[in-house]
Amino acid sequence: MPEVTAALVRELREKTGAGMMDCKKALDDSRGDIEAAVDWLRKKGLAAAAKRAGRVAAEGLVGVATKGSTGAVIEVNSETDFVARNREFQDFVRRLAELALSGGDPDGLKKAPFPGAGRTVEEELTDLISRIGENLVIRRVARLAVPEGAVLSYVHNVLGPGLGRIGVLVALQSSAGEAPLAQLGKELAMHVAAATPLYLDIASVPEAALERERAVLREQARVSGKPEAIIEKMVEGRLRKFYEEVVLMEQIFVIDQERKIAKVVEAAAKAAGGEIRVAAFARFALGEGIVRDRPDFATEVAAQLKH
């Protein structure tokens, strides 16, 4: 039996694109026979999955799950939007969101046992990639929890229970009853989906972001030709507009277009007879920040004809 050397593992990895440890196991089980190892990987769906891993996955689903004072939102990407309507894929994302309620980042989740499958999430994902025929990526996950209160959710562009293209969680810290928190939480989550805040409150805005905004506002103000002392006052005044655009508690409520979110929460707390505090929020929009390769169509056709 040939010795399973590092060079042999590297050769198999280059041949199939599979992971190093998978290649080592395949060679061990195949007694060093590289062609048999290729077949071993193909049977496991590992070679096919690895070859697809280079494709850009910017479609897919955002899934949310909540349980009392805990909530999780997860994004799983696919290459095409057709996969988002696949029942198997939907079930995978939904169960993964429920699993994320217990915590963990994408890498940690991959190592967790997949419910009812007798294998890990990563193994279930690999199998799903093999069956669906597209690159699938567990891109990101967020979990919110409060010691007392509730985490509420909202899904936009719904494709199934708890599944869509935008998923939002809002964590409310409070001793108020379930009903007022549920109503307020849903409305705030809908607001977050529409208004896209970046920060919870003014104190949460990083100093670097404030300095960048001040620098832009200073240059805009200098066009007026006013003295620097006046310009600084103008800048601080215009920062209020910046806060209203990016800070949740300073934004105007999209539902009534009148009150700031801080006033909406204050009114809800008064009606509920107890303090309510927005502890955190999370908003995932499908594919945001992913660089998509969109080649020129004529160039693409010419390349196909050339081959």
Side-chain angles (χ1 to χ4, degrees):
M1 168 179 148
E3 182 187 355
V4 178
T5 62
L8 202 59
V9 172
R10 184 171 63 250
E11 182 183 349
L12 180 60
R13 190 177 184 188
E14 290 172 355
K15 195 178 183 72
T16 63
M20 184 175 66
M21 296 308 296
D22 291 324
C23 288
K24 175 72 165 60
K25 183 164 178 51
L27 286 165
D28 286 340
D29 286 8
S30 305
R31 298 178 174 273
D33 184 332
I34 198 160
E35 292 305 321
V38 170
D39 291 342
W40 187 97
L41 288 167
R42 290 183 63 196
K43 288 172 185 174
K44 299 287 185 182
L46 296 170
K51 287 178 182 177
R52 295 185 183 105
R55 302 179 191 169
V56 175
E59 295 293 339
L61 285 170
V62 172
V64 300
T66 59
K67 188 176 182 181
S69 60
T70 305
V73 57
I74 189 162
E75 179 181 357
V76 183
N77 297 126
S78 61
E79 294 175 49
T80 67
D81 59 354
F82 297 108
V83 174
R85 292 168 174 78
N86 181 291
R87 292 289 181 87
E88 284 187 281
F89 181 67
Q90 290 184 354
D91 184 60
F92 176 79
V93 177
R94 188 179 295 111
R95 293 166 75 181
L96 200 60
E98 291 170 356
L99 190 62
L101 288 170
S102 300
D105 57 14
D107 289 336
L109 273 180
K110 287 178 183 178
K111 296 179 177 65
F114 191 76
R119 53 188 170 190
T120 65
V121 167
E122 186 166 28
E123 290 167 338
E124 182 70 15
L125 179 65
T126 298
D127 186 59
L128 193 59
I129 290 171
S130 180
R131 294 200 305 275
I132 289 178
E134 284 196 14
N135 184 27
L136 306 175
V137 178
I138 301 172
R139 185 186 179 204
R140 52 181 175 163
V141 60
R143 177 181 178 273
L144 302 184
V146 287
E148 185 179 31
V151 175
L152 291 309
S153 67
Y154 171 70
V155 176
H156 192 63
N157 288 337
V158 177
L159 288 171
L163 304 172
R165 296 184 67 85
I166 297 176
V168 177
L169 297 176
V170 173
L172 300 177
Q173 173 76 38
S174 177
S175 59
E178 184 178 329
L181 292 184
Q183 180 66 23
L184 175 64
K186 183 178 179 180
E187 290 181 350
L188 291 182
M190 291 172 70
H191 170 93
V192 170
T196 326
L198 300 178
Y199 312 104
L200 175 62
D201 51 28
I202 292 175
S204 304
V205 182
E207 189 59 37
L210 278 178
E211 282 308 310
R212 281 198 305 272
E213 189 63 20
R214 284 193 179 103
V216 171
L217 293 175
R218 282 190 193 103
E219 288 305 311
Q220 292 174 347
R222 284 193 179 107
V223 176
S224 66
K226 289 183 169 51
E228 285 296 317
I230 301 297
I231 286 173
E232 286 304 312
K233 290 181 180 178
M234 290 171 66
V235 167
E236 292 307 312
R238 291 178 182 179
L239 270 180
R240 286 195 291 271
K241 179 66 175 174
F242 170 71
Y243 290 140
E244 288 174 1
E245 290 174 354
V246 301
V247 174
L248 174 60
M249 302 307 290
E250 301 298 313
Q251 289 180 331
I252 300 299
F253 193 30
V254 295
I255 292 177
D256 66 19
Q257 293 292 311
E258 293 179 0
R259 298 173 295 168
K260 285 188 176 184
I261 294 297
K263 292 295 182 183
V264 173
V265 176
E266 185 181 308
K270 186 176 180 180
E275 184 183 357
I276 300 176
R277 182 176 68 87
V278 181
F281 73 89
R283 180 188 187 276
F284 283 7
L286 184 66
E288 61 186 349
I290 296 177
V291 178
R292 307 179 192 221
D293 183 19
R294 300 185 185 277
D296 176 70
F297 183 67
T299 304
E300 190 176 272
V301 172
Q304 291 295 324
L305 291 172
K306 184 177 180 181
H307 288 291

